[in-house]
Amino acid sequence: MLKNLEIITPAAPEDFQKLWELNYKIFADELKMRPASPEHYLVDKFHCKNIYRAAYDRENNLFAGMISAHWQAPYSAAEHFGDALCTPPPAGLLAEIRLFALLPQYRHTTTASQLAVPLLQELEEQGVSEVIISGISNLKPFYEHIGFRTAGIPVTAGNTLLYPMRGSLKLILERCSKAFERYRPLHPEQ
């Protein structure tokens, strides 16, 4: 399964249609954070300013996971937690990690690091120094382990408890280095 994964930057309309279907499966069907819709797809409201990575499983012809980010206000985290979480850092830019989602059969694998590390490196190249994320409660220990810290009181979105989390991009990249080293041999051209 994992040997057939390719990390891509979606560009074609059909790629985005598959991402919107994945977005719906995770955030509406599974987590109940968004209302059900008969179309079974969910377009991100920040689509026009997001950068994306997707894990494409060639063997099964599906997107196994996705992640996006942007570094331009407004941030969706402000809707949940207020503007305090979104205060720009003293130096560098602030980015928001969004739509970090994997199909269940790809969780607890290296797929998350394969998606995240290159995206985080691109954010660093863009001048980002801190990142925020609306951390799902059962992933809070993982996010804390890689360098995020809880930055306020959690809120409920649908049936999901979310924590406001913020961290130094440099620290997060350092802590993800082991996962990145596992990922790098799969893609030596990077």
Side-chain angles (χ1 to χ4, degrees):
M1 175 172 68
L2 293 180
K3 67 181 178 182
N4 295 310
L5 282 183
E6 178 183 356
I7 305 305
I8 67 165
T9 301
E14 56 271 15
D15 291 343
F16 284 108
Q17 180 62 36
K18 289 178 183 175
L19 286 183
W20 304 150
E21 291 167 4
L22 176 61
N23 190 16
Y24 185 88
K25 279 182 195 171
I26 302 298
F27 295 101
D29 281 348
E30 181 182 341
L31 297 174
K32 310 289 188 220
M33 291 174 62
R34 302 287 182 257
S37 80
E39 295 85 20
H40 294 275
Y41 70 88
L42 180 61
V43 178
D44 185 58
K45 67 181 176 180
F46 294 116
H47 171 63
C48 292
K49 63 182 178 178
N50 285 342
I51 57 172
Y52 293 89
R53 294 295 178 277
Y56 177 67
D57 183 331
R58 291 184 304 268
E59 182 179 331
N60 296 302
N61 189 30
L62 60 79
F63 281 113
M66 62 193 255
I67 188 172
S68 71
H70 69 87
W71 53 92
Q72 301 168 1
Y75 301 99
S76 68
E79 295 172 16
H80 295 299
F81 309 112
D83 290 330
L85 180 66
C86 305
T87 304
L93 300 171
L94 177 68
E96 180 175 38
I97 305 296
R98 298 188 40 75
L99 308 179
F100 196 4
L102 300 172
L103 290 174
Q105 64 268 34
Y106 297 89
R107 296 174 189 164
H108 309 289
T109 69
T110 59
T111 305
S113 63
Q114 290 181 42
L115 280 168
V117 171
L119 183 97
L120 294 172
Q121 289 175 324
E122 182 174 342
L123 292 176
E124 187 176 53
E125 290 167 9
Q126 295 295 329
V128 170
S129 61
E130 292 188 29
V131 290
I132 58 174
I133 193 167
S134 298
I136 295 170
S137 61
N138 65 328
L139 294 175
K140 182 177 176 272
F142 165 75
Y143 288 128
E144 291 173 334
H145 175 75
I146 64 168
F148 282 94
R149 65 188 183 288
T150 302
I153 298 169
V155 299
T156 302
N159 293 344
T160 303
L161 187 64
L162 299 174
Y163 282 85
M165 305 193 84
R166 187 170 178 144
S168 156
L169 181 57
K170 182 178 179 179
L171 175 63
I172 292 166
L173 278 169
E174 285 173 10
R175 291 195 176 169
C176 289
S177 64
K178 288 181 183 177
F180 179 67
E181 290 307 314
R182 285 194 307 264
Y183 162 65
R184 191 183 260 314
L186 299 174
H187 301 277
E189 70 280 359
Q190 293 188 353

